[in-house]
Amino acid sequence: MSGSAEAGAVLAGPMRRRGPRPLMLHLAGPVLEAMQSGTPAVGTDAALLAGIAAYRRHPFERRLVEPPVIWREGSARLLDYGEDQGAPTVLVVPSLVNRAHVLDLMEGRSLLRFLAAGGLRPLLLDWGWPGPADRRLGLAGHVERVMRAHQAANGGGAMLGYCMGGLLALAAGVLAPRAPRGLALLATPWDFHAEDADEARRLAAMLPMLEPLMALTGALPVDVLQMAFALPPERGRIAAKYRAFGAAPQEGAAAELFVALEDWVNDGVPLAAPVARECLTEWYGGNLPGRGEWRVAGQAIWPAELKLPGLIALPAADRIVPPGSARGLARAWPAASLLEPPLGHVGMVVGSRAPEAVWRPLRDWLRALPGLM
Amino acid sequence: MQQDPVANLPEAAGAGEGEGGGEGGGVVGGAGEGGDRLAADCLTIWQSELAALAADPELGELRAALEALRPDPALRR
């Protein structure tokens, strides 16, 4: 597309995408907050609307070719990013509440392709859109799935978990009959009460209100999850970034990165109801991991007992998994190496400073694992 | 557990924290060319939202689940 045609498409073309979600929350949020605070007048937020319109009209499309699928179970698939089938495998376990492709976002912003170019064979466990059978699985069922994927990956490689996937990978590392060669945990929560225990308990207290909704489809809907991440003050930050996007040049790499990331954020997946219940009660409400009382399939998940090399990457500017929560994991696993990049939760995997601050140290740590290469 | 990536990614489109005006920034009265553009954007955003909702697989699941429920005659009023 030529520059002028692209500019025209951005200004007046069809709207191609959805977001921010839920739209009503983002548009009506300021009005509700003004009513709550007694502020008399709230006008139309033209800059926010312009930003949302610009995002929805943007012509960017993610064009990365998906690698081969080497294993399936339910809706989950194991994607083989390896350039060399004989290279040592790294099973990569992402979160259950977002699409897996944040680890392979776009050209030049792909942790997985970087690791593959570094002589490793990343195998991404893409959880997919949960079907009826997937929605019956709790945390133990998902951990067992990670273990079977580890087995499908020859059972001899390393494991890497990101965010909530770090907890699943950690439990699989404890329970797997054949332990991984090493376990890297990126932005993984552990001590859910480390920074704001009351907020965590308030989140857990929402469960009874969510039950009727989950009873309908067996899952926590995407927009409910999105709402949880868009509550104040986060909603204000989301609005600010859309306003900034609407006022910024619509061509070029920065605009494409914004669109790619927002597409990923707004393309969520429902969370299986049994997992939602366990996360809210055992993690946010009871803080069982942080208290050393978390059990999966009856077995205690206590990282200090792991007899394998570990790496914990703890992004210092993380607002999704508070650094204090992830630091609890470092305390619980003192033998693990610690990496503290000055980045945010997603910036640590796709930001411009991620290659230097996270990707290279991670690759070098994996390559140095005894018996892996 | 995970969202809002660009908030943690200040280099993206100048979209870092503190940029782009505060809450309620960009308030307009709705008149003139700017108002026309605003009205057109607003209408198109909602049209695209409705089209997205119609194609939303999750809403399809919810609709099917609701249709499978037996209505309680006592609740009809």
Side-chain angles (χ1 to χ4, degrees):
Chain A
M1 188 181 290
S2 72
S4 60
E6 190 168 298
V10 168
L11 287 172
M15 295 201 178
R16 305 153 185 265
R17 48 176 56 85
R18 198 172 168 190
R21 289 180 67 178
L23 181 65
M24 185 60 88
L25 175 73
H26 291 280
L27 294 184
V31 179
L32 297 173
E33 286 155 28
M35 289 169 70
Q36 195 176 20
S37 66
T39 308
V42 176
T44 304
D45 193 337
L48 175 60
L49 285 168
I52 294 173
Y55 163 66
R56 290 189 173 206
R57 287 192 176 112
H58 202 281
F60 171 79
E61 286 177 41
R62 181 174 176 267
R63 294 185 188 276
L64 286 179
V65 177
E66 194 171 85
V69 176
I70 61 167
W71 178 83
R72 290 174 191 270
E73 187 180 285
S75 298
R77 304 174 306 155
L78 201 53
L79 304 179
D80 186 355
Y81 280 83
E83 295 174 1
D84 170 7
Q85 305 302 299
T89 60
V90 181
L91 176 65
V92 181
V93 186
S95 169
L96 289 169
V97 298
N98 287 102
R99 298 284 184 183
H101 74 253
V102 68
L103 300 169
D104 182 32
L105 188 68
M106 58 198 296
E107 203 169 319
R109 306 262 181 185
S110 171
L111 169 60
L112 298 175
R113 289 173 205 258
F114 176 85
L115 294 178
L120 298 159
R121 186 183 172 199
L123 302 172
L124 176 64
L125 181 56
D126 180 348
W127 295 105
W129 183 275
D134 305 301
R135 294 179 191 204
R136 287 193 285 273
L137 298 179
L139 285 171
H142 284 85
V143 169
E144 285 163 11
R145 183 165 283 179
V146 174
M147 289 161 57
R148 286 190 289 274
H150 177 59
Q151 192 66 27
N154 296 327
M159 241 187 244
L160 188 165
Y162 176 47
C163 187
M164 177 187 191
L167 284 164
L168 302 176
L170 172 61
V174 170
L175 298 173
R178 190 175 169 197
R181 297 274 184 189
L183 180 61
L185 303 173
L186 313 186
T188 298
W190 184 253
D191 186 347
F192 288 80
H193 290 179
E195 297 202 5
D196 192 342
D198 289 341
E199 179 66 23
R201 290 193 190 98
R202 275 196 291 274
L203 206 57
M206 290 172 66
L207 182 59
M209 289 179 281
L210 301 175
E211 286 291 2
L213 206 50
M214 294 198 292
L216 285 171
T217 62
L220 192 59
V222 173
D223 277 335
V224 175
L225 286 161
Q226 296 278 5
M227 280 171 63
F229 292 112
L231 295 173
E234 210 54 44
R235 194 201 55 70
R237 294 192 182 106
I238 295 169
K241 76 185 178 190
Y242 271 87
R243 288 187 204 106
F245 178 69
Q250 297 296 302
E251 294 174 49
E256 290 189 350
L257 175 59
F258 176 91
V259 174
L261 276 168
E262 284 302 300
D263 283 355
W264 170 74
V265 166
N266 292 300
D267 184 23
V269 284
L271 181 63
V275 175
R277 290 187 191 102
E278 288 178 66
C279 290
L280 286 172
T281 56
E282 297 188 7
W283 293 357
Y284 287 92
N287 189 27
L288 298 193
R291 291 164 50 194
E293 295 172 12
W294 186 37
R295 302 181 83 84
V296 172
Q299 188 163 333
I301 306 301
W302 190 236
E305 292 177 7
L306 281 168
K307 301 283 187 285
L308 58 122
L311 174 70
I312 295 170
L314 191 166
D318 196 334
R319 287 207 308 273
I320 308 300
V321 172
S325 178
R327 203 172 296 283
L329 178 59
R331 278 196 301 273
W333 194 7
S337 303
L338 187 60
L339 187 64
E340 296 189 73
L343 302 173
H345 189 82
V346 180
M348 80 176 295
V349 289
V350 299
S352 58
R353 288 182 288 165
E356 197 58 47
V358 179
W359 297 4
R360 287 193 188 102
L362 173 63
R363 176 200 62 192
D364 295 345
W365 181 83
L366 287 165
R367 287 176 59 92
L369 284 174
L372 187 72
M373 297 298 288
Chain B
M1 191 66 54
Q2 178 193 93
Q3 284 297 313
D4 190 19
V6 183
N8 284 332
L9 196 69
E11 72 268 27
E17 291 178 51
E19 296 183 43
E23 288 298 288
V27 172
V28 298
E33 193 180 326
D36 291 345
R37 180 64 195 272
L38 174 65
D41 275 352
C42 207
L43 181 64
T44 319
I45 287 170
W46 278 110
Q47 284 172 337
S48 73
E49 184 72 8
L50 291 175
L53 287 171
D56 186 334
E58 198 170 29
L59 283 185
E61 291 172 2
L62 274 171
R63 197 160 41 237
L66 286 169
E67 283 168 2
L69 291 176
R70 289 179 63 184
D72 181 346
L75 293 175
R76 285 201 173 156
R77 291 175 184 239

